Amino acid sequence: MPGGLVAPAGTDEAGQWSLLRPQLLYLIRWPDPAGVPETLGWGNTARVCALLSRRQSAGFLVGQLLGMEPALCQQILLLLWRQGCLQAIAPGVLGEAAAVAPAASDPTPTTPAGSFIVRLWRRLAGLGQH
């Protein structure tokens, strides 16, 4: 598994989730839309990616932050993990990867204000306010 986490051979999805669930996650690259199953939906996957591209979050909190069904969010995170789109940091562990990921409390965008990602993030952030 990426990020230094190793799942025992033959580990099922629940076993993989138990390893990934407590980790601080952040997006290192966006997935190929063609690799996202229709059952998960590209819109849901994009919401998870947008959140994790902006701030680190524990795996189990991502669904809560987005107001998403936990089982769906779990499937999306596992898909992103298997595709190598996520980096994980054990909670409380500071390392090189922690310095690379933007801090959760950092209010300044890491991209220009008019960029596609910033505009997308603003639209997605406004979805839960209706």
Side-chain angles (χ1 to χ4, degrees):
M1 295 183 94
L5 294 177
V6 179
T11 302
D12 61 357
E13 193 168 286
Q16 291 176 3
W17 177 244
S18 69
L19 291 172
L20 191 61
R21 184 181 186 278
Q23 303 299 316
L24 287 177
L25 304 172
Y26 63 95
L27 192 74
I28 54 175
R29 70 177 180 83
W30 283 72
D32 178 9
V36 177
E38 276 188 40
T39 56
L40 298 181
W42 176 247
N44 291 323
T45 305
R47 289 177 60 209
V48 171
C49 291
L51 172 70
L52 294 177
S53 69
R54 180 69 182 113
R55 63 187 255 189
Q56 298 175 15
S57 180
F60 67 93
L61 290 176
V62 174
Q64 293 175 15
L65 291 169
L66 295 173
M68 185 181 288
E69 179 68 34
L72 175 62
C73 188
Q74 175 183 330
Q75 290 176 343
I76 292 170
L77 289 171
L78 286 171
L79 173 76
L80 294 172
W81 183 254
R82 290 183 197 118
Q83 290 185 2
C85 299
L86 297 177
Q87 182 69 38
I89 305 171
V93 175
L94 296 177
E96 251 179 69
V100 173
S105 62
D106 182 6
T108 58
T110 57
T111 56
S115 75
F116 171 75
I117 296 297
V118 171
R119 291 191 318 264
L120 175 65
W121 177 252
R122 288 184 183 144
R123 288 189 78 191
L124 291 172
L127 287 178
Q129 298 175 2
H130 296 277

